[in-house]
Amino acid sequence: MYTHTALATAVALALGSWSSLAAADTQAGQAQSSDAQADGPATGDYLPKVTVTAQKREETAQEIPSAISVLSGDKVRDDALQSANEITRYIPNASAGTTEAHGRPRWWIRGLGTGDQGANTVSPVGIYVDDVYIANISATAFPLFDLERVEVLRGPQGTLWGKNTTGGAINFISRKPTFDPSGYFKIGAGNYNDRVVEGAASDALVDDRLAARVSFHHEARDGYNENIADNDDRGGLEDDAVRLQFLANINDNLQANLNLHARSYHDTAGYSTVSYGLQPNGNNQFGYHIDPKQGKVNFNSKYESDVDQAGTSLNLDWQLGDLTLTSITAFEHFTRDGFSDGDNTPQELQRSYSYADSRQWSQEIRLASAKADRLSWVVGFHYFNEDLHSTGVNAALANPYITPYYNNLSYDQRTESYALFGSSTFHFTDAFSVTAGLRWTRETKDIDLSRLQNSGAANFTGSDWWKTSSVGSALAVNAVQDERNTWSDWTYDLTPEYRLSDNARVYFRYAYGFRSGGYNTGATNQATVATVDPEFLTAYELGLKSEWFDGRLNANAAVFYYDYKDIQLNIVSAVDNQTVSRLANGAKGEVYGGEFEIEAIPVQNLHLTASLGLLHTEFTDYTSGSNDYSGNKFVRAPSVSAVIGADYRIPLAVGGALVLGTDWDTRSRQYFFSNDQSASMRTGGYTLGNARVTYELPGDATHVTLYANNVTDKEYRSHTLPGGYQTAGVMYGDPRTFGVSVTTDF
């Protein structure tokens, strides 16, 4: 196990040795490394160059004057990362929370994010799949399979990535079709009856003209939790997804890629909550008592969710001499049905139901100059349209403790957004360049909201209790909103960069971003109906990127300061014995910190990574009603986050190799809510370790891996909720899991 101090010391020692490393480099060695890195394996003699498209054109990650982390598709596959939010465990100052096993992720980068569960809430961290922006946060949980890489961009990305990306952007990039036969097949099994089958196949349909790639993913497992109310396992899931792509060389200058994908997901209380009383003796209002414990839940009503998702995108790249014209047209349809036991006890107190249906389509057009020019630039246009319908019901059925009630909040929201953007880089000298970007965004949102509640005794009939037709009393409207608002603003960035040597560069980045306004869909009465204004962020970042020891070591560092205003906050509390989440804004805050990342091959076949994130967050002005929360910390913003990992490849005399790997991720204390930061609404610091042993068969085509995640079986909280009737609820992180997988490449 690695402590915060040990990790910080290791990184500091590595950073402190940069000056001595510089003396060891020679110009001849650098030239040799530059040629070799293009194709080299990470466990060979040198680190490979990683090509990314973070600035909407191909370049290496080390050349980009911005804080960016990249996970390769092989890393995702070999480490068995099954859900999208798992990638943040490798990224400093980044985290993701989820209220389902593989669904409804919430993203945070450098303390910026949102925990709001409303289907209409957009995240300050923009999530993209193959360069397509996904607005519905729940739809960003598409499983990870057959990926080329994942790019994580920290800090405001409001110029090229645009829409609402005050916190940063994450882009999941699929492997594209090839004109030569290629693919893989993977099968795995683990405890909790976990089973995974996935694969991909690619080949030419018409030589040099048309290629196709089909990939699929299936995972199923039993639950991590035992429901002691009925002695049944809860938390089981089944996740199926498929992707079909066609790559066409229409002529020598025009290439098209058509992407078709779909997903079907089902879970039974994937992250069900352990409810416990807040009275001094541990009881709730009705004398019910249970000690919160990982692996144990106790509820009596239906607890499950179903997700269906399908989409398509068409990417056209047209080479016009030295210019490249890119068009991306995309459509995405997402639906979710969810049921839960609102009180999380075997007592019949509350039940909840939610439904969301979103349909979005977008169009982006970009024109880019040649990267090698002294002045290079990208200009473009982006259009986005979403139609969203959502229904949320919470109700108390007939029981001896409380009077039955019924609440139904439904709304339709349409979002339409336009943006013009551009970014250019001018090289004043071989050593000094300046990049400047500018974007204008105009976004309009219409909402038609209605909240119904029973006006008499709510006597429910039938199993479809959530339907208005099942309520045995008249319904009255207690909140309505029919509103249309338009917000527009400029976002921009300015980044001077100076090349200290052939292997080291420094940059300073100034960026201004905004997240457009919206509506509070957690209204409980007419007084809580609200329109939320845009939020604004001014960011300053100073960074260093460097490569040493002839391509054996990459060492990067960044320090930053954020001035955050009109922050959109998710305020969660128990109102009338119901957990209520509402959206509000107006607070101010500041963020500062740093990230330090090292990747090295000190000796042949030994690959080391280490990263350290330091973060200070504080609300400098935050009042809600008569309450003053100034001084509180941001949500899911640990002051220390660190990751250290190692892979060692041992060639075998009989052929093949043995690869030993491990990674350890540590996080300090985190708060789950901006308003309530009491001891019951936070998690203490924790460290999670993973280990794996891989046998590479001769020929390096087939790999057999034994793995264990959370090897110490650390018990930690992944989320906590305030509840009614003097209760609170705890969701625990995954326990220790282990298994075996076999992967064959062809």
Side-chain angles (χ1 to χ4, degrees):
M1 184 175 296
Y2 298 85
T3 65
H4 300 162
T5 304
L7 281 166
T9 302
V11 174
L13 288 172
L15 292 173
S17 65
W18 282 355
S19 58
S20 61
L21 291 173
D25 280 318
T26 64
Q27 295 295 328
Q30 291 161 6
Q32 179 182 4
S33 172
S34 177
D35 293 337
Q37 285 183 30
D39 301 309
T43 53
D45 294 324
Y46 38 76
L47 295 168
K49 286 187 176 180
V50 178
T51 300
V52 298
T53 54
Q55 294 189 327
K56 303 295 186 178
R57 60 174 81 229
E58 289 191 353
E59 53 195 325
T60 65
Q62 288 294 106
E63 293 175 342
I64 295 176
S66 179
I68 177 174
S69 297
V70 183
L71 290 181
S72 70
D74 288 342
K75 176 73 172 176
V76 171
R77 188 186 69 180
D78 295 344
D79 286 9
L81 305 185
Q82 302 294 347
S83 59
N85 57 290
E86 291 181 17
I87 61 102
T88 59
R89 79 186 195 199
Y90 295 94
I91 311 300
N93 285 337
S95 63
T98 180
T99 53
E100 291 171 4
H102 285 183
R104 308 187 81 182
R106 297 296 182 267
W107 308 88
W108 285 265
I109 296 179
R110 292 177 173 174
L112 274 65
T114 180
D116 187 41
Q117 298 292 305
N120 70 322
T121 299
V122 295
S123 173
V125 178
I127 305 299
Y128 296 78
V129 178
D130 293 322
D131 289 347
V132 175
Y133 174 72
I134 306 297
N136 189 308
I137 302 177
S138 295
T140 65
F142 204 85
L144 307 181
F145 65 101
D146 198 29
L147 293 179
E148 181 68 31
R149 64 186 179 276
V150 181
E151 301 176 5
V152 180
L153 290 77
R154 298 188 289 276
Q157 302 295 326
T159 300
L160 291 175
W161 293 95
K163 189 168 169 52
N164 302 307
T165 53
T166 47
I170 303 176
N171 192 18
F172 298 90
I173 302 170
S174 309
R175 292 191 186 274
K176 300 301 183 286
T178 58
F179 287 92
D180 296 319
S182 65
Y184 74 96
F185 180 77
K186 176 181 178 179
I187 186 169
N191 60 333
Y192 298 100
N193 198 25
D194 185 54
R195 55 269 191 206
V196 175
V197 180
E198 70 175 57
S202 184
D203 201 356
L205 301 180
V206 179
D207 289 346
D208 299 324
R209 286 297 180 185
L210 180 64
R213 186 178 188 91
V214 60
S215 50
F216 67 92
H217 171 88
H218 167 79
E219 182 188 10
R221 65 165 169 79
D222 296 340
Y224 294 154
N225 300 310
E226 177 191 357
N227 185 12
I228 59 181
D230 57 12
N231 296 317
D232 190 17
D233 288 338
R234 291 302 180 104
L237 65 86
E238 186 165 352
D239 200 353
D240 296 287
V242 64
R243 185 185 301 117
L244 176 62
Q245 298 181 82
F246 296 95
L247 178 65
N249 291 324
I250 298 174
N251 57 45
D252 292 343
N253 297 315
L254 180 59
Q255 187 179 80
N257 190 91
L258 177 64
N259 181 320
L260 307 167
H261 52 271
R263 180 198 190 198
S264 176
Y265 170 80
H266 172 80
D267 78 27
T268 57
Y271 267 108
S272 48
T273 303
V274 179
S275 183
Y276 65 99
L278 294 178
Q279 292 186 355
N281 60 1
N283 291 348
N284 69 2
Q285 179 178 331
F286 309 110
Y288 175 75
H289 178 92
I290 183 174
D291 293 322
K293 184 178 181 181
Q294 184 178 29
K296 301 292 183 181
V297 294
N298 200 348
F299 53 85
N300 64 298
S301 62
K302 190 176 182 180
Y303 219 137
E304 66 181 41
S305 62
D306 290 280
V307 169
D308 288 296
Q309 187 172 352
T312 182
S313 63
L314 176 63
N315 189 315
L316 300 173
D317 281 310
W318 194 1
Q319 200 66 38
L320 304 172
D322 292 334
L323 305 180
T324 302
L325 180 65
T326 300
S327 169
I328 304 174
T329 307
F331 173 81
E332 201 77 25
H333 183 205
F334 173 89
T335 63
R336 178 187 179 276
D337 264 295
F339 297 86
S340 64
D341 186 324
D343 56 274
N344 293 291
T345 76
Q347 298 169 329
E348 188 58 83
L349 300 179
Q350 298 173 325
R351 295 189 180 188
S352 300
Y353 167 76
S354 62
Y355 174 77
D357 184 318
S358 68
R359 300 168 187 262
Q360 70 163 70
W361 74 274
S362 59
Q363 174 65 57
E364 181 167 316
I365 298 175
R366 298 193 305 265
L367 184 65
S369 70
K371 173 67 177 172
D373 291 346
R374 185 174 185 183
L375 173 65
S376 59
W377 48 266
V378 177
V379 295
F381 167 79
H382 183 266
Y383 174 79
F384 173 85
N385 183 296
E386 181 190 33
D387 286 309
L388 169 65
H389 171 75
S390 177
T391 297
V393 179
N394 61 78
L397 280 69
N399 65 79
Y401 300 106
I402 57 177
T403 301
Y405 63 81
Y406 176 88
N407 298 310
N408 180 311
L409 190 150
S410 297
Y411 63 89
D412 293 286
Q413 178 177 294
R414 185 186 181 199
T415 302
E416 190 171 41
S417 176
Y418 304 86
L420 295 170
F421 61 88
S423 180
S424 64
T425 300
F426 185 76
H427 295 270
F428 290 89
T429 67
D430 290 342
F432 179 66
S433 64
V434 175
T435 299
L438 184 65
R439 187 184 192 103
W440 178 79
T441 301
R442 176 184 173 89
E443 184 161 282
T444 299
K445 292 183 179 179
D446 296 88
I447 191 168
D448 183 6
L449 177 148
S450 176
R451 187 178 191 272
L452 305 176
Q453 67 178 26
N454 58 298
S455 58
N459 300 314
F460 299 92
T461 59
S463 59
D464 296 339
W465 58 267
W466 67 93
K467 296 181 179 179
T468 55
S469 59
S470 298
V471 184
S473 68
L475 295 174
V477 177
N478 79 323
V480 294
Q481 186 176 23
D482 185 359
E483 196 168 343
R484 173 187 175 96
N485 285 280
T486 298
W487 298 275
S488 62
D489 210 330
W490 297 92
T491 54
Y492 44 84
D493 57 69
L494 182 68
T495 309
E497 179 186 17
Y498 185 74
R499 182 176 294 272
L500 300 173
S501 66
D502 287 343
N503 65 310
R505 298 155 301 285
V506 294
Y507 66 89
F508 174 78
R509 187 168 187 264
Y510 168 74
Y512 175 81
F514 94 107
R515 179 163 57 139
S516 70
Y519 305 107
N520 170 38
T521 56
T524 54
N525 51 46
Q526 192 62 44
T528 56
V529 170
T531 298
V532 178
D533 295 328
E535 65 178 22
F536 304 92
L537 180 74
T538 304
Y540 309 85
E541 178 177 311
L542 178 65
L544 167 71
K545 292 197 170 184
S546 61
E547 307 82 42
W548 309 92
F549 281 155
D550 298 342
R552 290 180 177 271
L553 172 69
N554 291 344
N556 301 330
V559 293
F560 55 88
Y561 175 82
Y562 288 173
D563 182 12
Y564 204 10
K565 297 180 179 178
D566 294 324
I567 305 172
Q568 296 177 13
L569 294 172
N570 173 40
I571 302 175
V572 178
S573 57
V575 178
D576 296 330
N577 290 314
Q578 302 169 44
T579 301
V580 175
S581 172
R582 65 183 178 90
L583 196 63
N585 73 329
K588 298 179 181 179
E590 68 173 5
V591 181
Y592 58 82
E595 291 118 12
F596 309 91
E597 296 179 284
I598 291 177
E599 184 178 12
I601 299 181
V603 297
Q604 188 177 32
N605 292 327
L606 176 61
H607 183 215
L608 302 176
T609 58
S611 63
L612 172 67
L614 303 175
L615 191 63
H616 171 84
T617 63
E618 182 179 352
F619 290 105
T620 56
D621 184 4
Y622 176 15
T623 58
S624 177
S626 60
N627 299 309
D628 188 348
Y629 301 116
S630 301
N632 279 8
K633 304 299 183 184
F634 286 15
V635 173
R636 296 188 186 267
S639 58
V640 177
S641 59
V643 182
I644 188 167
D647 289 280
Y648 185 55
R649 186 175 187 273
I650 307 171
L652 302 177
V654 295
L658 199 64
V659 181
L660 310 178
T662 187
D663 58 82
W664 293 80
D665 174 16
T666 187
R667 311 272 167 141
S668 60
R669 176 185 294 175
Q670 298 180 58
Y671 299 93
F672 297 126
F673 304 107
S674 62
N675 54 323
D676 187 350
Q677 299 196 339
S678 59
S680 62
M681 294 293 141
R682 69 189 188 205
T683 182
Y686 57 86
T687 299
L688 303 177
N690 308 304
R692 56 202 166 271
V693 178
T694 299
Y695 172 48
E696 298 178 355
L697 276 66
D700 196 31
T702 301
H703 308 76
V704 180
T705 299
L706 300 174
Y707 67 88
N709 295 325
N710 190 4
V711 293
T712 63
D713 202 20
K714 176 66 176 179
E715 182 177 299
Y716 65 99
R717 295 185 177 193
S718 64
H719 196 41
T720 302
L721 285 171
Y725 313 107
Q726 297 180 358
T727 64
V730 177
M731 300 179 188
Y732 288 101
D734 292 348
R736 177 170 51 223
T737 58
F738 53 84
V740 60
S741 67
V742 180
T743 304
T744 298
D745 293 291
F746 55 86

